[in-house]
Amino acid sequence: AQSVTQLGSHVSVSEGALVLLRCNYSSSVPPYLFWYVQYPNQGLQLLLKYTSAATLVKGINGFEAEFKKSETSFHLTKPSAHMSDAAEYFCAVTDRGSSNTGKLIFGQGTTLQVKP
Amino acid sequence: DVKVTQSSRYLVKRTGEKVFLECVQDMDHENMFWYRQDPGLGLRLIYFSYDVKMKEKGDIPEGYSVSREKKERFSLILESASTNQTSMYLCASGGSLETQYFGPGTRLLVL
């Protein structure tokens, strides 16, 4: 079965520091990959997605992620953290066994704390 | 912009009540999904629908049912609410390249 692993349930950075949130997936077929962000008491908002075009994907709010097939990774980065980046972040991968029903498999989530 | 709306942001119900959670999308998407979100457990898929009147069980369907009579509307039903169904419920609509768009969520408390 496919799976998504987010390393670190909590990540804390100082304002202005680099943000790195890690995501690894297991899939024998190159998947589509997504990062979502969830602010408190809200739904999930799409940050960016990889759909087999460029391996470096730029998203909203200055975030980007790089698809590395050899490492089965899709880590999310931002050069300089802002207080407003504090939220929960979810990595997701298409469920290739789902026969085109559009199901996604989500990681457990990483809470990003930004300290002043 | 894709818009997914959910009927309530917050809901308080009693044990044994029948609960309806409604979700509406405005992008003519085929696929719609219901998840529940609990601390430490991430998002878990309850049910999904890939067409009108078509549905499939997700990972945790027990205690839930769904209805999709119209393409834009996907309802989640708790036939007899229990305290262990207290949770955040998220609806999503599936667009191109399997991108899912989420509603704002319904926080349900069952007393």
Side-chain angles (χ1 to χ4, degrees), chain A residues 10-11 18 21 41 49 58 60 72 75-77 115:
Chain A
H10 287 85
V11 170
L18 172 72
L21 304 182
N41 292 314
K49 62 184 177 185
K58 294 190 184 299
I60 61 171
T72 59
H75 301 331
L76 182 71
T77 59
K115 297 179 290 187

Side-chain angles (χ1 to χ4, degrees), chain B residues 55-74:
Chain B
K55 60 187 178 186
E56 277 196 28
K57 293 178 180 179
D59 301 316
I60 52 163
E62 297 78 19
Y64 303 94
S65 62
V66 290
S67 172
R68 190 151 180 218
E69 297 296 319
K70 293 185 177 181
K71 194 173 186 180
E72 68 271 17
R73 188 179 299 268
F74 191 34

Side-chain angles (χ1 to χ4, degrees), chain A residues 32 34 36 38 41-46 49 51 88 90 94-96 98 100-104 106-108, chain B residues 9-10 31 33 35 37 40-43 45 48 50 88 90 96-105 107:
Chain A
Y32 295 161
F34 305 83
Y36 286 88
Q38 185 182 33
N41 292 314
Q42 293 187 27
L44 274 67
Q45 179 182 357
L46 181 68
K49 62 184 177 185
T51 56
E88 189 160 19
F90 291 92
T94 43
D95 182 358
R96 282 302 188 204
S98 67
N100 204 33
T101 55
K103 283 172 64 179
L104 296 179
F106 286 86
Q108 294 300 305
Chain B
R9 292 300 306 275
Y10 300 94
N31 301 331
F33 307 83
Y35 297 89
Q37 183 181 19
L41 298 177
L43 274 73
L45 182 64
F48 67 99
Y50 50 92
M88 173 73 138
L90 293 165
S96 64
L97 299 174
E98 297 166 344
T99 305
Q100 291 188 16
Y101 299 91
F102 285 81
R107 194 168 290 281

